Amino acid sequence: QRVFMSGDATVVNDTETNTSSDRLASELEADRVAVVAMRVENRTIGVLLVGDKPTDFTDEDIETLESVAAPAALVLNQMARFEEARSTAEAMAELAQLKTDFVSVVSHELRTPLTSIIGAIGTLQRPELLPEDPRAQQLIAMAAKQANRLRTLIEDLLVMSRIEAASLPVRPEQ
């Protein structure tokens, strides 16, 4: 913990007499331990602890451990970034699926009342029910035109959601 916080290497060549030894070193029951920080971009991401060397750890051993810790820290850091990117990609895929499902459900829900509206307007356009007032006829014709436009938009949304869900085959043409 001390090495992680400070970033300074620590060597304990006799854990039995050194009472300030780390709890981890005690749990490992190692007689000698060397601990170096694993740093990436001036940030400590872990520690490398080596124990039970037959002879005391030297400054040269610490330099060797630090040279091993540097690439190991890079690998661990890249693994963490990869995992983060994978999690983000999974979340984005889930959001895309939710969007596709939402568009599909909304499109279907809009089609039901729109079908009733188009049917009612079609009924009003029958000659025996068509109002005699030309402005009323224009309003009914405009409502029919806009309802059909809305139906086309909803159908396009449904087609797009089916394409995104890969449930509709795509055949590109010139």
Side-chain angles (χ1 to χ4, degrees):
Q1 184 178 10
R2 188 173 55 246
V3 173
F4 186 86
M5 299 302 286
S6 70
D8 298 328
T10 298
V11 172
V12 178
N13 281 317
D14 187 3
T15 58
E16 289 181 20
T17 60
N18 189 330
T19 58
S20 67
S21 180
D22 193 287
R23 190 180 90 215
L24 178 60
S26 300
E27 288 177 8
L28 292 173
E29 298 178 3
D31 294 329
R32 296 174 186 85
V33 294
V35 186
V36 295
M38 297 174 76
R39 299 182 62 83
V40 174
E41 300 169 356
N42 296 324
R43 183 173 55 91
T44 303
I45 65 165
V47 295
L48 177 63
L49 183 142
V50 177
D52 272 351
K53 182 180 174 207
T55 60
D56 286 352
F57 286 99
T58 64
D59 289 341
E60 186 177 311
D61 293 329
I62 293 300
E63 287 177 20
T64 301
L65 287 175
E66 286 175 339
S67 69
V68 168
L74 287 172
V75 168
L76 288 175
N77 191 51
Q78 286 302 101
M79 288 174 60
R81 286 183 177 177
F82 177 77
E83 182 60 31
E84 184 180 321
R86 189 185 62 75
S87 296
T88 301
E90 286 177 359
M92 295 303 288
E94 185 178 342
L95 282 174
Q97 184 60 45
L98 287 172
K99 178 199 68 120
T100 300
D101 293 347
F102 175 77
V103 168
S104 180
V105 167
V106 167
S107 298
H108 281 289
E109 291 299 318
L110 289 174
R111 268 175 50 178
T112 303
L114 184 59
T115 301
S116 297
I117 292 169
I118 290 173
I121 291 171
T123 301
L124 287 174
Q125 288 179 316
R126 290 175 51 194
E128 63 270 14
L129 296 176
L130 193 63
E132 293 181 16
D133 184 3
R135 287 186 303 191
Q137 291 176 5
Q138 285 179 335
L139 287 174
I140 292 172
M142 183 179 67
K145 180 180 175 184
Q146 295 303 321
N148 285 322
R149 181 172 170 252
L150 185 57
R151 181 181 60 196
T152 302
L153 290 172
I154 292 170
E155 290 297 326
D156 289 348
L157 276 174
L158 278 171
V159 168
M160 288 303 299
S161 70
R162 288 179 185 142
I163 289 172
E164 285 180 357
S167 64
L168 185 69
V170 178
R171 292 184 212 105
E173 295 179 7
Q174 287 190 359

